[in-house]
Amino acid sequence: MAHGSSGSSGEGRLRRLARELAKFGAVGGAGLLVNLGVFNFLRHVTDLQVVRASVIATVVAIAFNYVGFRYFTYRDRDKSGRTKEMTLFLLFSVVGLVIENGLLFLATYGFGWDSPLQSNVFKFLGIGVATLFRFWSYRTWVFKAIPLRGAVGGSGAAAGSAAADDAAAQERVG
């Protein structure tokens, strides 16, 4: 095995992860605007309690984000089993909803921090914590990567990629 082969494969994985994070961030950033926009709209034009308005806003953002993740961020991922994908997406989104709105609930009803500014700060913090969970769960369980074509049997994409790197290195040497 050539010394540089594992580094270049690691660099490729790092580039793919950076690209994935950028796409996830673009969709998530737009979803954040949707979430906060709906939340503040509901807070100003209705008499809904803060957490109820937040839950509605989160649900709207979840629907928006699914479309963005499926057709932009993870468009190259496995598309078979849409029912399973949607079920897992909704399951992990509900966990994220509980994380996000649990923090807002604690701030509002546990500490009495209910001004518009305080509500927005804790909603934003809740979204941040929930986003870390969502990124991990969506990429691990919902939008699974399709194994690379060079992968052999059950050895996985990493082994196939390493084997391809080794073959290329041997061609350069001999």
Side-chain angles (χ1 to χ4, degrees):
M1 185 162 23
H3 178 66
S5 67
S6 64
S8 64
S9 132
E11 289 172 16
R13 273 181 273 187
L14 191 56
R15 265 192 302 263
R16 284 190 302 277
L17 180 61
R19 208 172 17 246
E20 180 182 345
L21 279 168
K23 288 180 175 183
F24 188 90
V27 171
L32 171 72
L33 294 176
V34 167
N35 196 332
L36 291 174
V38 170
F39 173 66
N40 284 292
F41 175 77
L42 290 173
R43 289 278 301 195
H44 287 82
V45 300
T46 70
D47 291 332
L48 285 173
Q49 295 174 344
V50 65
V51 176
R52 287 185 184 162
S54 180
V55 168
I56 292 168
T58 303
V59 169
V60 171
I62 286 170
F64 175 87
N65 285 348
Y66 177 78
V67 172
F69 291 143
R70 168 41 54 214
Y71 298 104
F72 177 67
T73 305
Y74 298 114
R75 70 176 176 252
D76 61 334
R77 300 289 177 100
D78 187 9
K79 292 178 180 72
S80 63
R82 283 288 171 100
T83 302
K84 181 180 178 184
E85 176 184 285
M86 285 285 268
T87 302
L88 288 172
F89 182 83
L90 289 174
L91 173 74
F92 291 121
S93 293
V94 167
V95 173
L97 180 145
V98 170
I99 293 168
E100 174 183 331
N101 292 291
L103 191 66
L104 181 61
F105 181 90
L106 180 65
T108 302
Y109 300 108
F111 295 101
W113 296 329
D114 193 21
S115 75
L117 177 61
Q118 291 167 327
S119 294
N120 276 287
V121 166
F122 285 98
K123 173 115 177 110
F124 185 80
L125 289 173
I127 290 171
V129 173
T131 296
L132 295 173
F133 169 77
R134 288 177 178 130
F135 178 73
W136 170 81
S137 63
Y138 294 165
R139 77 182 309 261
T140 304
W141 299 101
V142 180
F143 302 108
K144 291 185 177 186
I146 299 173
L148 296 176
R149 276 185 237 142
V152 179
S155 63
S161 177
D165 288 345
D166 288 345
Q170 286 176 351
E171 279 181 27
R172 279 181 264 149
V173 172

